[in-house]
């Protein structure tokens, strides 16, 4: 019996090649899209799953209240470690202080590499359960040791054994390799951690690090913990929440609250709004999960529509089968078998599509997804996926076809009712509602990205490079390097800064100034800069002037941005003084000498933060910002700048970043989402058009004699085209009327998460409307014109 069912199903596929192609190709594309989205979702949900101890690992976060607004983040003061060890050590299996990820120069022989790494306390490798290839897990026990990834070891030592080798860090200190660990997977918080250096070594590299041991107000570190098995995250949080508030009187005014932020939430749920966890990337997971289901639904709708549309052609078969004793259940099973065969074939083709396009998908999504050939769970899910899809696609056609009355069919009086096409029309409207909503959503995302890109940055990012100079060999060389860069002809100007121009590395408080409101708690982005700062960046000075070598007093001067002036409620700020309450006994007050236009340093989607630029007088330069000569090509300028750099620092790699590229990287996440949305929207439209093409073919075939009669009576091609197209255009217009308000509501809510945002403008709906109608007309017109231009003799010769 089963063999007979599948034989009949296969014959029907061969007999109706066009409809079989439409069904199989539509389902294959839909299933392929759903599989790729599923693989992407699994990769997102498995972020940090590499760690064996992931359920008990957390990072210490703190929330602080500044001017009635609660800010939350992972930056903590160093004394917190000592307080937790002293009063709450019994809650933790591991408690690990860590630096922020930072690039350093690592040199062995003639090989010198500039790459990212962290400093951690001794327990770090054990807590993270690093997969040790060579050496020992407690490789950070000795102060002058270093652990590194297998790829970094390969780059430094080629095929030599790494253990025991001496690596020079930042051309200063010699560290011995004590362990090599397996590269950390890409979908991991620590994926860029190419090496680990001991915390006890790290705190000796800068004088301020030693002073930080008692500085509760210096939130410059990270603290990771692994809790004991017999407790919970919430239980530990309830015990430590007020540790900082109760221990540090200096910071109690900010009402600091300490809590554990579990590893499972680091990637997907790391957004906080006014102290409350408010989501994160998990929203994208839900978004693409819904898109995947909709795409599969569109493909199933094609199958349902084409199967029911061609029902009259199978009515006789159903009538005969019922007349000779077939039960309705047997007919339902037969038709479900046919849908199962089609879905299985579609699934096979969909796997081919996934394999063919997986590398391109990885590039688009910035992933390293590998097809799970050996994963039994994947194949079990795939089996369920096939059965569910077959049921979704085949259940309604099976129920519909098996319901035919055999007497009416065999007497030749069976006709589809006048309302038989309503379900198909409803499904077509559903298809295009989804497709149009996706079009509108994608356009809004693209508009938001472009709107933020068009936002004035506040300085000239073009032709500006930044060179990291964070090792001690660069101390005291800034002015010499500037002179030589300019003399080479490759640079117009150069300025040193304590942070990159695309990020805030330090926030300060504890200042006083004339007119400061009582109880006001300031939070200022802090960057120290050299004399030529405003000239190098091309900053526009609104009031006052920039730093100048002509004024010796500029060593105690400060420049504010416009937001800082408003934030501090300063009127006529030039010449006024700002005092640091922590150092006013030893340092003179800072004189405001200028106000510059706001420049975007952090997120381009958020308001510009209040910032102060202080003259750098303690050698804290971390970057040389070099303005390249616009009269020469970029390649010529880089050769000249590099030659000067290598002349002064022959053992240090010339590493640099273009500032405009670093700024552009701030849009990468949203651009990636937009690119994925474009692809899946295009697939949804393609699937919908396939179904529309099939229905148009059926309608044209069904009305062949009518078209012949109309042509004989004088109907023009355009009239016949309109006759066959108007129903489909009507359905698309209905879909537009449904999709537009839905998309407006959803995308309006999405835009609310951006402080600097565009609006859902009318032109988005105009483009979506025009595009949907054009696509519909193109799809339908092929069959409509084909039918309208056919010879009426061919359709009427039998009448």
């Amino acid at each position: 019996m089963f063999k007979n069912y599948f034989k009949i199903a296969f014959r029907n596929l061969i007999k109706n090649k066009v409809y079989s192609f439409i069904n199989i190709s539509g389902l294959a594309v839909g299933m392929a899209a759903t599989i790729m989205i599923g693989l992407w979702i699994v990769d997102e949900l498995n972020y940090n799953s590499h760690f064996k101890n992931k359920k008990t690992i957390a990072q210490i976060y703190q929330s602080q209240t500044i001017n009635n607004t609660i800010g939350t983040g992972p930056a903590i003061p160093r004394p917190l470690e000592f307080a937790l060890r002293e009063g709450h050590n019994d809650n933790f299996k591991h408690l690990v202080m860590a630096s922020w990820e930072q690039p350093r120069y690592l040199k062995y022989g003639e090989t010198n590499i500039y790459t990212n790494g962290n400093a951690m306390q001794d327990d770090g490798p054990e807590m993270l359960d690093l997969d040790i290839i060579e050496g020992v897990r407690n490789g950070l026990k000795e102060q002058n040791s270093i652990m590194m990834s297998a790829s970094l070891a390969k780059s430094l030592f080629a095929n030599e054994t790494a253990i025991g080798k001496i690596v020079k860090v930042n051309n200063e200190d010699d560290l011995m390799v004590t362990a090599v660990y397996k590269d950390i997977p890409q979908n991991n918080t620590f994926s860029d951690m190419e090496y680990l250096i001991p915390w006890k070594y790290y705190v000796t590299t800068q004088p301020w690090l030693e002073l930080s041991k008692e500085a509760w107000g210096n939130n410059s570190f990270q603290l990771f913990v692994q809790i004991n098995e017999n407790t919970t995250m919430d239980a530990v949080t309830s015990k430590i929440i007020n540790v900082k508030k109760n221990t540090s009187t200096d910071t109690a005014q900010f009402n600091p609250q300490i809590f554990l932020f579990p590893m499972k939430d680091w990637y997907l749920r790391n957004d906080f709004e006014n102290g409350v966890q408010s989501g994160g990337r998990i929203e994208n997971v839900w978004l693409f999960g819904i898109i995947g289901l909709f795409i599969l639904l569109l493909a199933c709708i094609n199958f349902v529509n084409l199967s029911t549309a061609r029902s009259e052609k199978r009515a006789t078969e159903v009538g005969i089968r019922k007349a000779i004793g077939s039960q309705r259940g047997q007919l339902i099973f037969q038709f479900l078998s046919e849908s199962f065969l089609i879905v299985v074939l579609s699934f096979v083709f969909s796997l081919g599509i996934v394999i063919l396009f997986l590398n391109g998908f990885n590039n688009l999504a910035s992933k390293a997804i590998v097809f799970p050939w050996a994963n039994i769970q994947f194949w079990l899910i795939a089996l369920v996926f096939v059965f569910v899809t077959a049921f979704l696609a085949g259940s309604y056609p099976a129920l519909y076809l098996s319901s035919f009355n055999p007497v009416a069919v065999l007497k030749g009086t069976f006709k589809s009712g006048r309302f038989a096409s309503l379900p198909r029309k409803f499904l077509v409207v559903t298809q295009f509602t989804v497709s149009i909503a996706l079009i509108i959503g994608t356009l809004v995302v693209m508009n938001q990205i472009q709107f933020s890109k068009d936002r004035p940055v506040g300085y000239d990012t073009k032709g500006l490079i930044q060179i990291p100079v964070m090792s001690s060999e660069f101390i005291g060389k800034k002015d010499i390097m500037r002179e030589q860069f300019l003399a080479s002809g490759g640079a117009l100007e150069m300025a040193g800064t304590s942070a990159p121009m695309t990020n805030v590395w330090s926030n300060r408080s504890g200042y006083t100034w004339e007119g400061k409101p009582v109880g006001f708690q300031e939070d200022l982005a802090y960057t120290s800069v050299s004399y030529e700062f405003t000239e190098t960046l091309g900053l526009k000075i609104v009031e006052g002037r920039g730093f100048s070598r002509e004024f010796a007093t500029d060593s105690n001067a400060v420049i504010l941005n416009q937001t800082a002036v408003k934030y501090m409620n300063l009127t006529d700020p030039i010449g006024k003084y700002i005092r640091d309450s922590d150092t006013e006994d030893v340092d003179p007050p800072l004189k405001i000498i200028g106000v510059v236009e706001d420049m975007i340093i952090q997120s381009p989607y958020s308001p510009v933060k209040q910032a102060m630029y202080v003259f750098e007088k303690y050698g804290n330069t971390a970057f040389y910002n070099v303005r390249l000569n616009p009269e020469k090509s970029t390649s010529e300028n880089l050769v000249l700048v590099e030659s000067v750099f290598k002349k002064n620092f022959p053992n240090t790699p010339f590493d640099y970043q273009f500032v405009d590229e670093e700024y552009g990287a701030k849009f990468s996440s949203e651009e990636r989402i937009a690119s994925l949305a474009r692809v899946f929207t295009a697939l949804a439209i393609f699937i919908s058009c396939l179904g529309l093409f099939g229905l148009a073919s059926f309608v044209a075939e069904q009305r062949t004699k009518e078209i012949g009669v109309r042509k004989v009576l004088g109907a023009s091609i355009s009239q016949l085209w309109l006759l066959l197209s108007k129903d489909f255009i009507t359905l698309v217009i209905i879909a537009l009327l449904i999709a537009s308000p839905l998309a407006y509501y959803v995308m309006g809510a999405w835009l609310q998460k951006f402080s600097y945002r565009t609006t859902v403008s009318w032109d988005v709906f105009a483009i979506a409307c025009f595009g949907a109608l054009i696509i519909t007309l193109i799809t339908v017109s092929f069959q409509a014109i084909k039918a309208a231009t056919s010879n009426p003799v061919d359709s009427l010769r039998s009448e």
Side-chain angles (χ1 to χ4, degrees), residues 48 58-59 189-190 224 261-268 270:
N48 286 330
Q59 186 170 8
T189 300
F190 300 98
F224 299 97
F261 190 48
M263 177 178 272
K264 64 181 179 65
D265 289 344
W266 290 358
Y267 179 73
L268 291 176
N270 59 351

Side-chain angles (χ1 to χ4, degrees), residues 22-23 26-27 30 294-306 423-439 680-681 683-696 728 731-732 734-736 738-739 772 776 779:
I22 291 172
N23 272 330
L27 278 171
F294 274 136
I295 289 175
L296 183 63
L297 177 64
L298 298 184
C300 291
I301 286 174
N302 282 354
F303 184 90
V304 171
N305 275 346
L306 293 179
R424 290 196 293 276
K425 290 180 178 180
F426 170 77
L427 293 175
V428 169
V429 169
T430 301
Q431 278 188 314
F432 274 88
T433 298
V434 172
S435 299
I436 292 166
L438 287 175
I439 292 172
F680 293 125
T681 298
L683 291 178
I685 293 169
F686 171 75
I687 292 169
S688 298
C689 288
L690 266 182
L692 202 61
F693 180 84
L695 282 178
F728 294 105
L731 295 178
V732 172
I734 293 171
L736 277 165
I738 297 171
T776 303
T779 304

